[in-house]
Amino acid sequence: MSETVKQEQVKKGFGRWLGIVAFVVAAFAAWQVSKLPIRVTNLAAPFNGDVSRSVFVESDTEEPFFSHQEVSELTEYVQAVAGHIGMNVVVYASRSPLSDAETVDFANASYDRMFGEHTDGVFFYVDMSGKVPAFDYFSTSGKAVLCYGSWVDAIMNGLDQYFPSSSEAREYGYEPFRDGIYRGIVYFLQSLESYYASAGESSEYVRSSNSNTYMYFQNGEFFVTTSRPPKQRFYLMLAGLIVGFLAAFLLNASVKKKYVFVAPIAPERYISNDDSSLARSDTFLRENTVKHYNPPVSSSSGSGRVGSGGGGGYHGGSHGGGGHHR
């Protein structure tokens, strides 16, 4: 192998390693930049310790399903759990039939009316309307979105051992299942304590299901903001770096494939100055014609996009959660 070839291989190997090192350094720089403090407006409203508004309540009906004593017991339990987890808690037993979408909107909006937007808490909607299928919904707000996000399905599925199915309720009514429903509500409240203890302060971020807000913990503080969280900013910067490197690599490869670069050779090697007779002329290798359309002043254009009908829905607060049919 000639010395020139060896030198070329060394140069190529050095170039590859230089590119790798440059990418690693750029990625590290992007990570450090993403951690820089950015002024954000924190919309989070931490729990103020007041458990008096955390309650068990039924929808307005002529004949309440639960006795006054049962309502008092469940409300006392709700308030105890609210104090333990440091969040607002509401359990709402509904006798009014609502669609699934209406149930979600009702739970989110009712919570915000009671405690305010971006506060920490949960709203548990128990469907006792007789609708088939019944739809129970677990709405989370603020810090509860992160604490219970991974456990919503597990908690809701666990209710099947207590609550009657839609077919059972349709055939026998809800009265024969009074004890099971009561114990199911207690199970839900116990789950709030047990799953919260295992959740802790999550390192992930969540985007609200019904508003353009992000929720995340940073240095032990909980944030609800419209600004992207640090982890997502880093991913965006890293994606930009990767795209930039790929674009530069493809452009370089394309240019090398299409053109051959050689070192210039002095013309004196082929002709002397005495014998040269130079003349200048313009020779075009290719001709490009570009046409532009200038529309009349009166013409107009549309977006070409057909708007969909309004989906409605409640768009306040910072909510998550999940529902369960039975």
Side-chain angles (χ1 to χ4, degrees), residues 82-105:
H84 292 160
I85 66 176
M87 296 186 189
N88 305 299
V89 180
V90 173
V91 177
Y92 182 84
S94 175
R95 306 295 293 278
S96 303
L98 297 176
S99 68
D100 292 0
E102 289 172 338
T103 298
V104 175
D105 288 347

Side-chain angles (χ1 to χ4, degrees), residues 168-182:
E168 291 173 330
R170 180 173 53 185
E171 184 174 356
Y172 304 108
Y174 277 93
E175 184 62 33
F177 306 99
R178 175 186 296 271
D179 291 342
I181 296 171
Y182 185 97

Side-chain angles (χ1 to χ4, degrees), residues 194-230:
S194 60
Y195 283 101
Y196 177 79
S198 64
E201 293 185 353
S202 172
S203 61
E204 299 299 317
Y205 70 88
V206 175
R207 186 171 182 175
S208 177
S209 62
N210 69 312
S211 63
N212 189 29
T213 56
Y214 296 88
M215 290 161 280
Y216 56 91
F217 284 98
Q218 186 176 13
N219 299 326
E221 183 180 0
F222 178 70
F223 283 84
V224 178
T225 75
T226 56
S227 303
R228 296 183 184 276

